[in-house]
């Protein structure tokens, strides 16, 4: 396994790409209301990234992905393809934004409530958010990826929810997906030991029901096998000498 340690110059470019990805999520928030289609959300983000940011939406044509962002609604786990379906009151939706700027990538996603969500929708959203935060707070040199995966899994499962195993966080930089794989489950004391200059995402997918997932016939959209609700949050994280820096967090914003 070769995990690339970023140079100071690369880190600066990753800061820019990370900020741009975060700004797309901030820009789109007021648009996420009942009646809008996920296809329209994709168009708005696409235009903003190309025209306002002079950047590239990395998902577009990535291994054939047909749109510029991923939109995963309710029991969709990840990689949902934007389309003609309108969001309705009570839906929860993950918008996953990856921006390529000056040769480097920033990858972040968050959950949005469409109108008034149910109690279980709020709960799965909150627990997945806490899982991401618990993982991020652990990031510093010397910690091992198994420690982080274990903590995330433990938090989800002790709240009677489950962690998706088939998809994981990832190293990121010049490439959208690089080594290492960042599993959201695991065994303490195992796995890669973190070093300053590593950059990777933490992006736990948490299901309100069982952990098993299924790929839809479109070959992209992942759903829960039991059709339970699923939620995900994602940030891009730099390992620093004494901790971490969240590259996709805007100043003064919460994670
Ligand atoms: N942004 C997703 C991730 O967090 C990957 C999307 S790949 C795509 O890794 F092709 F579906 F866009
Ligand atoms: Co990612
Ligand atoms: Co992403």
């Amino acid at each position: 396994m070769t995990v690339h340690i970023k140079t100071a110059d690369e880190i600066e470019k990753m800061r820019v790409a990370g900020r741009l990805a975060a700004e797309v999520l901030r820009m789109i928030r007021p648009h996420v209301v009942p009646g809008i289609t996920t296809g329209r959300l994709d168009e708005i983000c696409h235009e903003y990234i190309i025209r306002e940011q002079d950047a590239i939406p990395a998902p577009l044509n990535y291994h054939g992905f047909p749109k510029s962002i991923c939109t995963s609604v309710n029991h969709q786990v990840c990689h949902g393809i934007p389309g003609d379906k309108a969001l309705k009151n009570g839906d929860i939706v993950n918008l996953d934004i990856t921006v390529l700027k000056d040769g480097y990538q920033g990858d972040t996603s968050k959950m949005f409530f469409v109108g008034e969500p149910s109690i279980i929708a709020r709960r799965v959203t909150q627990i997945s958010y806490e899982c991401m935060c618990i993982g991020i707070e652990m990031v510093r040199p010397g910690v091992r990826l198994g420690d982080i995966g274990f903590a995330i899994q433990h938090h989800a499962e002790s709240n009677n929810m489950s962690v998706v195993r088939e998809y994981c966080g990832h190293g990121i930089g010049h490439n959208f997906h690089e080594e290492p794989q960042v599993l959201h489950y695991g065994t303490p004391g195992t796995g890669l030991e973190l070093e300053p200059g590593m950059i990777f995402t933490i992006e736990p997918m948490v299901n309100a029901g069982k952990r098993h997932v299924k790929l839809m016939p479109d070959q992209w959209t992942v759903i829960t096998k039991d059709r339970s609700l699923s939620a995900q949050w994602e940030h891009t994280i730099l390992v620093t000498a004494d901790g971490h820096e969240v590259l996709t967090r805007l100043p003064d914003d919460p994670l």
Side-chain angles (χ1 to χ4, degrees):
M1 184 155 72
T2 45
V3 176
H4 181 57
I5 303 296
K6 269 70 177 178
T7 65
D9 182 57
E10 289 181 301
I11 289 169
E12 200 41 53
K13 289 178 172 167
M14 292 292 289
R15 284 195 182 103
V16 173
R19 178 171 50 76
L20 293 178
E23 284 174 351
V24 176
L25 285 177
R26 187 178 62 185
M27 177 279 300
I28 201 66
R29 171 174 291 290
H31 297 279
V32 186
V33 292
I36 196 164
T37 66
T38 52
R40 183 68 192 133
L41 294 174
D42 173 73
E43 282 172 10
I44 297 168
C45 291
H46 177 95
E47 289 300 300
Y48 184 80
I49 293 166
I50 302 261
R51 294 187 200 284
E52 311 268 335
Q53 299 187 325
D54 194 20
I56 296 167
L60 188 59
N61 299 320
Y62 181 76
H63 294 278
F65 191 77
K67 296 286 179 179
S68 293
I69 69 171
C70 296
T71 56
S72 303
V73 183
N74 295 338
H75 65 289
Q76 296 178 345
V77 172
C78 63
H79 304 167
I81 302 175
D84 296 337
K85 223 174 123 151
L87 295 174
K88 59 182 193 311
N89 184 49
D91 284 347
I92 56 173
V93 58
N94 174 279
L95 302 182
D96 193 339
I97 310 292
T98 313
V99 170
L100 174 63
K101 176 78 174 182
D102 205 6
Y104 287 84
Q105 314 260 358
D107 190 9
T108 183
S109 79
K110 59 169 59 162
M111 297 301 297
F112 295 83
F113 293 145
V114 183
E116 279 297 306
S118 66
I119 288 178
I120 186 67
R122 283 181 196 276
R123 243 175 71 73
V124 71
T125 298
Q126 177 66 22
I127 297 297
S128 62
Y129 177 71
E130 291 170 3
C131 283
M132 177 192 68
C133 294
I134 286 167
I136 290 173
E137 292 308 328
M138 291 175 73
V139 173
R140 60 181 160 76
V143 166
R144 301 180 71 165
L145 286 179
D147 302 330
I148 292 174
F150 175 80
I152 291 171
Q153 177 184 8
H154 182 262
H155 187 66
E157 292 178 356
S158 53
N159 282 282
N160 266 314
M161 301 202 169
S162 63
V163 172
V164 172
R165 307 246 175 137
E166 288 81 356
Y167 302 87
C168 58
H170 49 92
I172 181 167
H174 178 61
N175 304 299
F176 196 160
H177 296 104
E178 308 182 345
E179 291 185 84
Q181 292 197 41
V182 180
L183 305 182
H184 304 111
Y185 62 94
T187 308
T190 68
L192 179 75
E193 190 175 314
L194 301 185
E195 291 173 37
M198 290 178 175
I199 299 182
F200 53 82
T201 71
I202 295 181
E203 50 180 301
M205 284 140 275
V206 173
N207 298 347
K210 296 208 181 343
R211 69 174 177 82
H212 304 96
V213 299
K214 181 176 125 169
L215 187 62
M216 293 297 280
D218 65 22
Q219 295 301 311
W220 280 105
T221 310
V222 178
I223 66 168
T224 55
K225 218 172 195 170
D226 62 9
R227 303 292 202 276
S228 63
L229 292 174
S230 186
Q232 176 180 32
W233 297 72
E234 173 176 28
H235 273 303
T236 299
I237 321 290
L238 164 69
V239 185
T240 60
D242 58 357
H244 59 269
E245 182 180 329
V246 181
L247 302 178
T248 43
R249 175 191 201 163
L250 295 175
D252 302 324
D253 267 13
L255 283 174

